[in-house]
Amino acid sequence: MQDAKSRFSISREGTVSRKGARKCPPASGPGFQAQTLYFTPGPGAAAAADAPRGPQALLQPPCLPVFWDDIFRRPPERVTEAFTLFCLKDLSQERACGWLKVVGMRQGTMFARGLKRKSAEDGEDVEGGLAGTQATPSYSLQRQSLLDMSLVKLQLCHMLVEPNLCRSVLIANTVRQIQEEMTQDGTWRVLAPQAAGRAPLDRLVSTEILCRSVREQEGERPAADVGDGRTPGLVPGLSAVPSAQALRSPQSSLWEVDSSRENRGGFQKSLDQIFETLESKTPGSVEELFSDVDSSYYDLDAVLTGMVGSTQSGHGSGLQAFTAAATPPPGSSCRSDLGELDHAVEILVET
Amino acid sequence: MGSHPDIISTVEFNYSGDLLATGDKGGRVVIFQREQENKGRPHSRGEYNVYSTFQSHEPEFDYLKSLEIEEKINKIRWLPQQNAAHFLLSTNDKTIKLWKISERDKRAEGYNLKDEDGRLRDPFRITALRVPILKPMDLMVEASPRRIFANAHTYHINSISVNSDHETYLSADDLRINLWHLEITDRSFNIVDIKPVNMEELTEVITAAEFHPHQCNVFVYSSSKGTIRLCDMRSSALCDRHAKFFEEPEDPSSRSFFSEIISSISDVKFSHSGRYMMTRDYLSVKVWDLNMESRPVETHQVHEYLRSKLCSLYENDCIFDKFECCWSGSDSAIMTGSYNNFFRMFDRNTRRDVTLEASRENSKPRASLKPRKVCTGGKRKKDEISVDSLDFNKKILHTAWHPAENIIAVAATNNLYIFQDKLN
């Protein structure tokens, strides 16, 4: 097993070499494009989407036995005008554990720019006290990142082996905590009342529901379920179709072990939803953060999240809510192409 | 000491400490035996050598749910020895097996009805009778499955524990605990069930369970919310209501989104005396007095320097790692693992603790282990290692302590290390 601490660094000239450096140079400048690196090592986690946004976007040094050299020597999984996609594999387990999206590969040279990393002290903001903390933009961003990350973890754990129930429960509880705090903060966006009244876990539960496409969701307007006495107008925001009946459908509980296989066919579509969730940002703060990134950056994410046109309205089903306000419509050159999404999904599912 | 091609997933000494069993991700069990000490050299320590290797569990496919059942051995527990043979229970996610390990060092020769190579002799050719005699042969250790306890767990088995009555044992999965009789495989009693009617309301799972070492009616189980429940089987058949409930009140100043996850208990172990129990959560080890439910009597920090890294550890899933812990034979010390192949030992009497590393470079035979130190900030001294340099792939999840002597077994991924105390 290769030394797990090998790292790569990105030099100003745009070449990549393996070295002991931990941080990507924070500089920006001509010839550099943003690079996102994301991986989720750990059993059962397939590749995941974009790195969480925010100051803490860059992860800790890779903790996987990933052969960094091999990434750049191997042909990329996918090359488009806008980005190049490399698949990261955990060679000890021979499964995909993430992918590297590099923007702007020109003539075989990698251009990349690391996102600034906060120092260790700042990192503690995320774990800082809950109740007393004001929802500063940075804290909200971090909290949102955590929420996004948790949702990805919950959804992408259906591999061949049954998911680890303890892990799923802990992640779901974390999501619920974040939801509750965001509700208290008032940062949880209120949608139409169709989803009112359900227990929070319901929203996370149904892979079957998350397998439905965006358009199907928009067509549904289920009645509110006031079963557990939650305040009306409490927003789901995260999960899809709110119908109580749909949630109780026999194959749909995330916890029930017999659900994963049937939903596999809908896996591609569920990724739709996940990515759209990951797109969720609080408006305003993100604009500031990424003001120096050119808009093509957003476009790439739009491609990868399979957003179809710009017609999604804020009052559509939950997942749409966050995406509507902040994301600019994708440019024509990056119009979502279902074929490309399928390919990206193939990579993620790691055939 | 020993190298498995697969990752070691459990380590356990037997009651005498002469045998050490390891299970791995590939479903194999390897048993080491301590060599008899050489009488001519009274100070030489018995070494552990491979005694038996067998395939305990095979991968299975659940056709009904279209899911694989991993063959990884989650736990091994020895039975107390009652005759020449040794018995142990090994379990994967779904099935528990009772194995008999026996030695054969003699074989019979001189049968009347068959040849030396086993072919039957023609009875008409036999003109004289002889008595077969036993002749010594090379020692052969055989492992045979004696019982298979299957189909009783819907969720993944995380613990097994043999009762002090030596007749029954419990098996625990995420939501249920079952009681078995060692002789009976087609029936088990469900003694704890925390599955909610509506699975969508599930917020807590069982993470570990163990019988009391002396009181055969008492057992404990820990949860993902950091609580321990002690149950008495005499009070009711279904032990859904606990006799005692152990939980430490949360410190509000350190509350974060990760508080619950790091409070999840990954292991619970009674002391040999039966007076105390120890729990391992992500950052610490706690010792509880069974008579005091309100808080632990001791808390030992394992790797507090990880508290500021919880977000990253959540991201790479390390925060869900399940570390085990163990008591020394006299209960005076406790041990648990950490990252970077470090493991920690705490002396409860002197209140001293030490960090040691299990690695090839540091393991020359008979060399002492050098204590390690993790530098948490500021200037890094020589020989210290900084938190950012820790290798989170090298985790020591499984450790075991000899029941009587200061001999410890440490599993580092696919290597097994055995360390002995130099002093007599």
Side-chain angles (χ1 to χ4, degrees), chain A residues 5 38 41 52 59-60 63-65 127-128 130 139 146 149-150 153 160 162 165-167 169 171 173-174 177-178 181 201-202 205 247 255-257 261, chain B residues 65-68 70 94 155-156 174 198-200 202-205 224 255-258 260-261 307-309 311-312 314-317 320 322 388-389 391 393:
Chain A
K5 291 192 227 168
Y38 190 78
L59 302 181
Q60 283 286 357
C63 306
L64 266 192
E127 289 100 42
L130 284 181
Y139 175 77
L146 190 60
M149 193 198 316
S150 304
K153 280 180 181 300
L160 271 179
E162 285 175 49
L165 188 62
C166 181
R167 177 178 172 273
V169 167
I171 298 171
N173 289 351
T174 307
Q177 278 181 55
I178 298 174
E181 189 184 277
L201 196 57
D202 291 0
V205 159
L247 280 172
W255 308 133
E256 297 295 355
V257 297
R261 268 309 185 182
Chain B
K65 299 174 190 167
S66 288
L67 290 169
E68 274 184 12
E70 279 190 309
K94 298 288 187 182
Y155 303 96
H156 292 181
D174 295 314
N198 187 354
M199 275 296 271
E200 287 147 2
L202 179 66
T203 58
E204 190 174 12
V205 300
S224 58
R255 179 117 179 80
S256 76
F257 286 120
F258 304 109
E260 186 184 309
I261 301 180
R307 194 179 285 272
S308 57
K309 310 281 178 195
C311 193
S312 303
Y314 178 70
E315 191 140 28
N316 64 19
D317 267 9
F320 301 107
K322 292 194 187 304
D388 290 322
S389 307
D391 188 342
N393 277 319

Coordinates of all heavy atoms in Angstrom, one line a residue, chain A residues 5 38 41 52 59-60 63-65 127-128 130 139 146 149-150 153 160 162 165-167 169 171 173-174 177-178 181 201-202 205 247 255-257 261, chain B residues 65-68 70 94 155-156 174 198-200 202-205 224 255-258 260-261 307-309 311-312 314-317 320 322 388-389 391 393:
Chain A
K5 N 0.2 9.2 2.9 CA 0.3 10.6 3.1 C 0.8 11.3 1.8 O 1.1 12.5 1.8 CB 1.3 10.9 4.2 CG 0.8 10.4 5.5 CD 1.7 11.0 6.6 CE 1.9 9.9 7.6 NZ 3.0 10.3 8.5
Y38 N -13.0 16.4 -4.0 CA -13.9 15.8 -3.0 C -13.7 14.3 -2.9 O -13.6 13.7 -3.9 CB -15.3 16.2 -3.3 CG -16.3 15.9 -2.2 CD1 -16.3 16.7 -1.1 CD2 -17.0 14.7 -2.2 CE1 -17.2 16.4 0.0 CE2 -17.9 14.4 -1.1 CZ -18.0 15.3 -0.1 OH -18.8 15.0 1.0
P41 N -13.8 8.8 1.7 CA -13.3 7.4 2.0 C -14.2 6.8 3.0 O -14.8 7.5 3.8 CB -11.9 7.7 2.5 CG -12.0 9.0 3.1 CD -12.9 9.8 2.3
P52 N -18.2 20.6 -0.4 CA -19.0 21.6 0.3 C -18.5 23.0 0.1 O -17.3 23.2 0.1 CB -19.0 21.2 1.8 CG -17.9 20.3 1.9 CD -17.6 19.7 0.6
L59 N -10.6 20.0 1.9 CA -10.6 19.0 2.9 C -9.2 18.9 3.5 O -8.2 19.3 3.0 CB -11.0 17.7 2.4 CG -12.4 17.7 1.7 CD1 -12.7 16.4 1.2 CD2 -13.4 18.2 2.7
Q60 N -9.2 18.1 4.6 CA -7.9 17.7 5.2 C -7.1 16.9 4.2 O -7.7 16.4 3.2 CB -8.2 16.8 6.4 CG -8.7 17.6 7.6 CD -7.5 18.3 8.3 OE1 -6.4 18.2 7.9 NE2 -7.8 19.0 9.4
C63 N -6.9 11.1 3.4 CA -6.6 10.1 4.4 C -6.8 8.7 3.8 O -6.8 7.7 4.4 CB -7.6 10.2 5.5 SG -7.6 11.8 6.2
L64 N -6.9 8.7 2.5 CA -7.1 7.4 1.8 C -5.8 6.9 1.2 O -5.0 7.7 0.8 CB -8.0 7.6 0.6 CG -9.5 7.4 0.8 CD1 -10.1 7.4 -0.5 CD2 -9.7 6.0 1.5
P65 N -5.7 5.6 1.1 CA -4.5 5.2 0.2 C -4.8 5.4 -1.2 O -5.0 4.5 -2.0 CB -4.4 3.7 0.6 CG -5.8 3.3 1.0 CD -6.4 4.5 1.6
E127 N -17.6 23.8 15.0 CA -18.1 23.0 16.1 C -18.5 23.9 17.3 O -18.7 23.5 18.4 CB -17.0 22.1 16.6 CG -16.7 20.9 15.7 CD -15.5 21.2 14.8 OE1 -14.5 21.7 15.3 OE2 -15.6 20.9 13.6
G128 N -18.5 25.2 17.0 CA -18.8 26.1 18.1 C -20.2 25.9 18.7 O -21.0 25.2 18.1
L130 N -23.9 26.0 19.7 CA -25.1 26.1 18.8 C -26.0 27.2 19.1 O -26.2 28.2 18.4 CB -25.8 24.8 18.9 CG -25.3 23.6 18.1 CD1 -26.2 22.5 18.3 CD2 -25.0 23.9 16.7
Y139 N -20.8 31.0 9.5 CA -21.3 29.9 10.2 C -22.4 29.3 9.4 O -22.5 28.0 9.4 CB -21.8 30.4 11.6 CG -22.5 29.3 12.4 CD1 -21.8 28.3 13.0 CD2 -23.9 29.2 12.5 CE1 -22.4 27.3 13.7 CE2 -24.5 28.2 13.2 CZ -23.8 27.3 13.8 OH -24.4 26.3 14.5
L146 N -22.3 21.3 6.1 CA -22.4 20.1 6.9 C -23.7 19.4 6.5 O -23.8 18.2 6.4 CB -22.4 20.5 8.3 CG -22.4 19.4 9.3 CD1 -21.1 18.6 9.1 CD2 -22.4 19.9 10.8
M149 N -23.3 17.8 3.1 CA -22.4 16.6 3.2 C -23.2 15.4 3.8 O -23.1 14.3 3.4 CB -21.3 17.0 4.1 CG -20.1 16.0 4.1 SD -19.1 16.2 5.6 CE -18.8 17.9 5.7
S150 N -24.0 15.8 4.9 CA -24.7 14.7 5.5 C -25.8 14.1 4.6 O -25.9 12.9 4.6 CB -25.4 15.3 6.8 OG -24.5 15.9 7.6
K153 N -24.0 11.7 2.3 CA -23.7 10.5 3.0 C -24.9 9.6 3.2 O -24.8 8.4 3.1 CB -23.1 10.8 4.4 CG -21.7 11.3 4.4 CD -21.3 11.6 5.9 CE -19.9 12.1 6.0 NZ -18.9 11.1 5.5
L160 N -23.6 -2.7 -2.4 CA -24.1 -4.1 -2.4 C -24.4 -4.6 -1.0 O -25.2 -5.5 -0.9 CB -23.0 -5.0 -3.0 CG -23.0 -5.2 -4.5 CD1 -21.9 -6.1 -5.0 CD2 -24.3 -5.8 -5.0
E162 N -25.5 -4.2 2.9 CA -26.5 -3.4 3.7 C -25.8 -2.2 4.3 O -24.7 -2.4 4.8 CB -27.2 -4.2 4.7 CG -28.2 -5.1 4.2 CD -28.7 -6.0 5.4 OE1 -29.1 -5.4 6.4 OE2 -28.8 -7.2 5.2
L165 N -26.4 0.7 9.8 CA -27.6 1.4 10.4 C -27.2 2.4 11.4 O -27.7 3.5 11.5 CB -28.5 0.3 11.1 CG -29.9 0.9 11.5 CD1 -30.7 1.4 10.4 CD2 -30.7 -0.2 12.2
C166 N -26.2 2.1 12.2 CA -25.8 3.0 13.3 C -25.3 4.3 12.6 O -25.7 5.4 13.0 CB -24.6 2.4 14.1 SG -24.0 3.5 15.4
R167 N -24.5 4.2 11.6 CA -24.0 5.4 10.9 C -25.1 6.2 10.3 O -25.1 7.4 10.5 CB -23.0 4.9 9.9 CG -22.4 6.0 9.0 CD -21.4 5.4 8.0 NE -20.9 6.4 7.0 CZ -21.6 6.6 5.9 NH1 -22.7 6.0 5.6 NH2 -21.1 7.5 5.0
V169 N -28.2 6.3 11.2 CA -29.0 7.0 12.3 C -28.3 8.2 12.8 O -28.9 9.3 13.0 CB -29.3 6.0 13.4 CG1 -29.8 6.7 14.6 CG2 -30.3 4.9 13.0
I171 N -26.1 10.1 11.3 CA -26.1 11.1 10.3 C -27.5 11.8 10.2 O -27.6 13.0 10.1 CB -25.6 10.6 8.9 CG1 -24.2 10.1 8.9 CG2 -25.8 11.7 7.8 CD1 -23.8 9.3 7.7
N173 N -29.7 12.0 12.5 CA -29.9 12.8 13.7 C -29.1 14.2 13.5 O -29.6 15.2 14.0 CB -29.3 12.1 15.0 CG -30.2 10.9 15.3 OD1 -31.3 10.8 14.8 ND2 -29.8 10.1 16.3
T174 N -28.0 14.1 13.0 CA -27.2 15.4 12.7 C -28.0 16.3 11.8 O -28.1 17.5 12.0 CB -25.8 15.1 12.1 OG1 -25.2 14.1 12.9 CG2 -25.0 16.3 12.0
Q177 N -30.8 17.9 13.7 CA -30.3 19.0 14.5 C -30.1 20.3 13.7 O -30.5 21.3 14.1 CB -29.0 18.6 15.1 CG -29.0 17.8 16.3 CD -27.6 17.5 16.8 OE1 -26.9 18.5 17.1 NE2 -27.2 16.3 16.9
I178 N -29.5 20.1 12.6 CA -29.2 21.3 11.7 C -30.6 21.9 11.3 O -30.7 23.1 11.3 CB -28.4 20.9 10.5 CG1 -27.0 20.4 11.0 CG2 -28.2 22.1 9.6 CD1 -26.2 19.9 9.9
E181 N -32.1 23.8 14.1 CA -31.5 25.1 14.4 C -31.8 26.1 13.3 O -32.0 27.3 13.6 CB -29.9 24.9 14.5 CG -29.3 26.1 15.0 CD -27.8 26.0 15.0 OE1 -27.3 25.5 16.0 OE2 -27.1 26.5 14.1
L201 N -37.6 13.1 10.1 CA -36.9 12.0 9.5 C -37.6 11.5 8.3 O -37.0 10.9 7.4 CB -36.8 10.8 10.6 CG -35.8 9.8 10.2 CD1 -34.5 10.4 10.0 CD2 -35.8 8.7 11.2
D202 N -38.9 11.7 8.2 CA -39.6 11.3 7.0 C -39.0 11.8 5.8 O -39.0 11.2 4.8 CB -41.1 11.9 7.1 CG -41.9 11.2 8.2 OD1 -41.3 10.3 8.8 OD2 -43.0 11.5 8.3
V205 N -36.1 9.9 4.6 CA -36.2 8.5 4.5 C -36.2 7.9 3.2 O -35.5 6.9 2.9 CB -37.4 8.1 5.3 CG1 -37.8 6.7 4.9 CG2 -37.1 8.1 6.8
L247 N -44.5 8.1 1.4 CA -43.5 7.8 2.3 C -43.7 6.4 2.9 O -42.8 5.7 3.3 CB -43.5 8.8 3.5 CG -42.8 10.1 3.1 CD1 -43.0 11.1 4.2 CD2 -41.3 9.9 3.0
W255 N -34.3 3.1 6.3 CA -33.8 2.2 7.3 C -34.1 0.7 6.9 O -33.4 -0.2 7.4 CB -34.4 2.5 8.6 CG -34.3 3.9 9.1 CD1 -35.3 4.7 9.6 CD2 -33.2 4.7 9.0 NE1 -34.8 5.9 9.9 CE2 -33.5 6.0 9.5 CE3 -31.9 4.5 8.6 CZ2 -32.6 7.0 9.6 CZ3 -31.0 5.6 8.7 CH2 -31.4 6.8 9.2
E256 N -35.2 0.5 6.2 CA -35.5 -0.9 5.9 C -34.5 -1.4 5.0 O -34.1 -0.8 4.0 CB -36.9 -1.0 5.3 CG -38.0 -0.5 6.2 CD -38.2 -1.4 7.5 OE1 -37.5 -2.4 7.6 OE2 -39.0 -1.0 8.3
V257 N -34.1 -2.6 5.3 CA -33.0 -3.1 4.5 C -33.3 -3.6 3.1 O -32.5 -3.9 2.3 CB -32.3 -4.3 5.3 CG1 -31.8 -3.8 6.6 CG2 -33.3 -5.4 5.5
R261 N -32.2 -2.3 -3.3 CA -32.1 -2.8 -4.6 C -33.1 -2.3 -5.5 O -32.9 -2.0 -6.7 CB -32.2 -4.4 -4.5 CG -30.9 -5.1 -4.4 CD -29.9 -4.7 -5.4 NE -28.7 -5.5 -5.4 CZ -27.7 -5.3 -6.1 NH1 -27.7 -4.3 -7.0 NH2 -26.7 -6.1 -6.0
Chain B
K65 N -33.3 -10.0 -0.4 CA -33.1 -8.6 -0.3 C -32.0 -8.1 -1.3 O -31.7 -6.9 -1.4 CB -32.6 -8.2 1.1 CG -33.6 -8.6 2.1 CD -33.0 -8.3 3.5 CE -33.8 -8.8 4.6 NZ -33.1 -8.8 5.9
S66 N -31.5 -9.0 -2.1 CA -30.4 -8.7 -3.1 C -29.3 -8.0 -2.4 O -28.8 -6.9 -2.9 CB -31.0 -7.8 -4.2 OG -31.8 -8.5 -5.0
L67 N -28.8 -8.5 -1.3 CA -27.7 -7.9 -0.6 C -26.7 -9.0 -0.2 O -27.1 -10.1 0.1 CB -28.2 -7.2 0.6 CG -29.1 -5.9 0.4 CD1 -29.7 -5.5 1.7 CD2 -28.2 -4.8 -0.1
E68 N -25.5 -8.5 -0.2 CA -24.4 -9.5 0.2 C -24.4 -9.5 1.7 O -24.6 -8.4 2.4 CB -23.1 -9.0 -0.3 CG -22.7 -9.5 -1.6 CD -21.3 -9.0 -2.1 OE1 -20.6 -8.6 -1.2 OE2 -21.0 -9.2 -3.2
E70 N -21.6 -10.0 4.5 CA -20.2 -10.0 4.6 C -19.8 -11.2 5.5 O -20.4 -11.5 6.5 CB -19.7 -8.7 5.2 CG -19.6 -7.6 4.3 CD -18.8 -6.4 4.9 OE1 -19.2 -6.0 6.0 OE2 -17.9 -5.9 4.3
K94 N -24.6 -11.8 10.6 CA -26.0 -12.5 10.7 C -25.9 -13.8 11.4 O -27.0 -14.3 11.9 CB -26.5 -12.8 9.3 CG -26.8 -11.5 8.5 CD -28.0 -10.8 9.0 CE -28.3 -9.6 8.0 NZ -29.4 -8.8 8.4
Y155 N -30.8 -7.3 11.7 CA -29.8 -6.3 11.6 C -28.5 -6.8 11.9 O -28.3 -8.0 12.1 CB -30.2 -5.1 12.5 CG -31.6 -4.6 12.2 CD1 -32.7 -5.0 12.9 CD2 -31.8 -3.7 11.1 CE1 -34.0 -4.6 12.6 CE2 -33.1 -3.3 10.8 CZ -34.2 -3.8 11.5 OH -35.4 -3.4 11.2
H156 N -27.5 -6.0 11.8 CA -26.1 -6.5 11.9 C -25.7 -6.8 13.3 O -25.8 -5.9 14.2 CB -25.1 -5.5 11.3 CG -25.3 -5.4 9.8 ND1 -24.5 -4.5 9.1 CD2 -26.1 -6.0 9.0 CE1 -24.9 -4.6 7.8 NE2 -25.8 -5.5 7.7
D174 N -28.3 -4.2 15.9 CA -28.5 -2.8 16.1 C -29.8 -2.5 16.9 O -29.9 -1.5 17.5 CB -28.7 -2.1 14.7 CG -27.4 -2.1 13.9 OD1 -26.4 -1.8 14.5 OD2 -27.5 -2.4 12.7
N198 N -42.7 2.5 13.9 CA -42.4 3.2 12.7 C -40.9 3.4 12.5 O -40.4 4.2 13.3 CB -43.2 4.5 12.7 CG -43.1 5.2 11.4 OD1 -42.4 4.8 10.5 ND2 -43.9 6.3 11.3
M199 N -40.3 2.8 11.6 CA -38.9 2.9 11.5 C -38.4 4.3 11.2 O -37.2 4.6 11.5 CB -38.3 1.9 10.4 CG -38.1 0.5 10.8 SD -36.8 0.4 12.1 CE -35.4 0.2 11.0
E200 N -39.3 5.1 10.7 CA -38.8 6.4 10.5 C -38.6 7.2 11.7 O -38.1 8.3 11.7 CB -39.9 7.1 9.6 CG -39.8 6.6 8.1 CD -41.1 6.5 7.4 OE1 -42.1 7.0 8.0 OE2 -41.2 6.1 6.3
L202 N -36.8 6.1 14.1 CA -35.6 5.5 14.8 C -34.6 6.6 15.0 O -34.2 7.3 14.0 CB -35.0 4.4 13.9 CG -33.8 3.7 14.4 CD1 -34.1 3.0 15.6 CD2 -33.3 2.8 13.3
T203 N -34.1 6.7 16.2 CA -33.0 7.7 16.5 C -31.9 7.1 17.3 O -30.9 7.8 17.5 CB -33.6 8.9 17.3 OG1 -34.1 8.4 18.5 CG2 -34.6 9.7 16.5
E204 N -32.0 5.9 17.7 CA -31.0 5.3 18.6 C -30.9 3.8 18.3 O -31.9 3.2 18.1 CB -31.5 5.5 20.0 CG -30.4 5.2 21.1 CD -30.9 5.6 22.5 OE1 -32.1 5.8 22.6 OE2 -30.1 5.6 23.4
V205 N -29.6 3.4 18.3 CA -29.4 1.9 18.1 C -28.5 1.4 19.2 O -27.8 2.1 19.9 CB -28.8 1.7 16.7 CG1 -29.6 2.2 15.5 CG2 -27.4 2.2 16.6
S224 N -26.2 4.4 20.7 CA -25.5 5.4 19.9 C -25.7 6.8 20.5 O -25.2 7.7 20.0 CB -26.1 5.3 18.5 OG -27.5 5.5 18.5
R255 N -20.9 21.8 23.3 CA -22.0 21.2 22.4 C -21.7 21.6 21.0 O -21.3 22.7 20.7 CB -23.3 21.8 22.9 CG -24.5 21.3 22.0 CD -25.5 20.5 22.8 NE -26.6 20.0 21.9 CZ -26.5 19.0 21.1 NH1 -25.4 18.4 21.0 NH2 -27.5 18.7 20.3
S256 N -21.9 20.7 20.1 CA -21.7 21.0 18.7 C -22.6 20.0 17.9 O -23.2 19.2 18.4 CB -20.3 20.9 18.2 OG -19.9 19.5 18.1
F257 N -22.6 20.2 16.6 CA -23.4 19.3 15.8 C -22.9 17.8 15.9 O -23.5 16.9 15.5 CB -23.4 19.7 14.3 CG -24.2 20.9 14.0 CD1 -23.6 22.1 13.5 CD2 -25.6 20.9 14.3 CE1 -24.4 23.2 13.3 CE2 -26.3 22.0 14.1 CZ -25.8 23.1 13.5
F258 N -21.6 17.7 16.3 CA -21.0 16.4 16.4 C -21.1 15.8 17.7 O -20.7 14.6 17.9 CB -19.6 16.4 15.9 CG -19.4 17.1 14.6 CD1 -18.8 18.3 14.4 CD2 -19.8 16.4 13.4 CE1 -18.7 18.9 13.2 CE2 -19.7 17.0 12.2 CZ -19.1 18.2 12.1
E260 N -23.5 14.4 19.5 CA -24.1 13.1 19.6 C -23.2 12.0 19.0 O -23.1 10.9 19.6 CB -25.5 13.1 19.0 CG -26.2 11.8 19.2 CD -27.5 11.7 18.5 OE1 -28.3 12.7 18.6 OE2 -27.8 10.7 17.8
I261 N -22.7 12.3 17.8 CA -21.9 11.3 17.2 C -20.7 10.8 18.0 O -20.4 9.7 18.2 CB -21.4 11.7 15.8 CG1 -22.6 12.1 14.9 CG2 -20.6 10.7 15.2 CD1 -22.2 12.6 13.6
R307 N -10.6 16.9 18.7 CA -11.8 17.6 18.9 C -12.0 18.7 17.9 O -13.1 19.0 17.4 CB -12.0 18.1 20.3 CG -13.4 18.5 20.6 CD -13.5 19.0 22.1 NE -13.5 17.9 23.1 CZ -14.6 17.2 23.4 NH1 -15.8 17.5 22.9 NH2 -14.5 16.3 24.3
S308 N -10.9 19.3 17.6 CA -11.0 20.5 16.6 C -11.0 20.0 15.2 O -11.1 20.8 14.2 CB -9.8 21.4 16.8 OG -8.6 20.7 16.6
K309 N -10.9 18.7 15.0 CA -10.9 18.1 13.6 C -12.2 17.4 13.3 O -12.2 16.6 12.3 CB -9.7 17.2 13.5 CG -8.4 17.7 13.9 CD -7.8 18.6 12.9 CE -6.5 19.2 13.4 NZ -6.0 20.3 12.6
C311 N -15.0 18.0 12.1 CA -15.7 18.2 10.8 C -15.0 17.3 9.7 O -15.7 16.6 8.9 CB -15.7 19.6 10.4 SG -16.9 19.9 9.1
S312 N -13.7 17.4 9.7 CA -13.0 16.6 8.7 C -13.1 15.1 9.0 O -13.3 14.3 8.0 CB -11.5 16.9 8.7 OG -11.3 18.3 8.5
Y314 N -15.6 13.8 10.2 CA -17.0 13.4 9.8 C -17.0 13.2 8.3 O -17.6 12.3 7.8 CB -17.9 14.5 10.3 CG -19.4 14.3 9.9 CD1 -20.1 13.3 10.5 CD2 -20.0 15.1 8.9 CE1 -21.5 13.1 10.1 CE2 -21.3 14.9 8.6 CZ -22.1 14.0 9.2 OH -23.4 13.8 8.8
E315 N -16.3 14.1 7.7 CA -16.3 14.0 6.2 C -15.7 12.7 5.7 O -16.2 12.1 4.7 CB -15.5 15.2 5.7 CG -15.7 15.4 4.2 CD -15.8 16.9 3.9 OE1 -15.3 17.7 4.6 OE2 -16.4 17.2 2.9
N316 N -14.6 12.3 6.3 CA -14.0 11.1 5.8 C -14.4 9.9 6.5 O -13.8 8.8 6.4 CB -12.4 11.2 5.8 CG -11.9 11.4 7.2 OD1 -12.5 11.1 8.2 ND2 -10.7 11.8 7.3
D317 N -15.5 10.0 7.3 CA -16.1 8.9 8.0 C -15.3 8.3 9.2 O -15.8 7.4 9.8 CB -16.4 7.7 7.0 CG -17.8 7.8 6.4 OD1 -18.5 8.9 6.6 OD2 -18.2 6.9 5.8
F320 N -16.9 7.7 12.6 CA -17.8 6.5 12.9 C -16.9 5.3 13.2 O -17.5 4.2 13.4 CB -18.7 6.2 11.7 CG -19.6 7.4 11.3 CD1 -19.3 8.1 10.2 CD2 -20.6 7.7 12.1 CE1 -20.1 9.2 9.8 CE2 -21.5 8.8 11.8 CZ -21.2 9.5 10.6
K322 N -15.2 2.5 15.2 CA -15.6 1.9 16.5 C -14.4 1.3 17.2 O -13.9 0.2 16.8 CB -16.7 0.8 16.2 CG -18.0 1.4 15.8 CD -19.1 0.4 15.8 CE -20.4 0.8 15.2 NZ -20.9 2.1 15.7
D388 N -1.6 16.9 12.3 CA -1.9 16.9 10.8 C -1.1 15.8 10.2 O -1.4 15.4 9.0 CB -1.5 18.2 10.2 CG -2.4 19.3 10.6 OD1 -3.6 19.0 10.7 OD2 -2.0 20.5 10.8
S389 N -0.1 15.2 10.8 CA 0.7 14.2 10.2 C 0.1 12.8 10.5 O 0.7 11.8 10.1 CB 2.1 14.2 10.6 OG 2.6 15.5 10.4
D391 N -1.8 9.5 10.5 CA -2.4 8.7 9.4 C -3.7 8.1 9.9 O -3.7 7.2 10.8 CB -1.4 7.6 9.0 CG -1.8 6.8 7.8 OD1 -3.0 6.9 7.4 OD2 -1.0 6.2 7.2
N393 N -5.7 6.2 8.3 CA -5.9 4.9 7.8 C -5.4 3.8 8.8 O -5.8 2.7 8.7 CB -5.3 4.7 6.5 CG -6.2 5.3 5.4 OD1 -7.4 5.1 5.4 ND2 -5.6 6.0 4.5

